[in-house]
Amino acid sequence: MLFVAGALAVLSGLFYAAGNNDIGSLGTTMCQYGDTFCDHPSYVFVGAVLAALWGTFVSIR
């Protein structure tokens, strides 16, 4: 689950950069299919935080 949280955090950063037109044509394609996430990358970041919390609470050590 912590891997999923890390992946979501990276995606949040990519959507933030795509929303600010910082990554060129890749950003245009990303925002074409996920315009809500380009407008509000915090939605994906909140999912990353929740996944990290869940992974922390259910991990067995």
Side-chain angles (χ1 to χ4, degrees), residues 1-59:
M1 193 54 127
L2 296 177
F3 175 76
V4 172
L8 285 173
V10 169
L11 280 175
S12 174
L14 283 174
F15 278 119
Y16 176 77
N20 290 331
N21 297 323
D22 289 339
I23 55 176
S25 64
L26 176 65
T28 304
T29 304
M30 285 178 64
C31 289
Q32 181 180 5
Y33 292 109
D35 59 344
T36 300
F37 299 124
C38 285
D39 293 338
H40 305 285
S42 60
Y43 294 168
V44 181
F45 187 71
V46 168
V49 169
L50 290 175
L53 288 173
W54 180 262
T56 303
F57 286 129
V58 299
S59 66

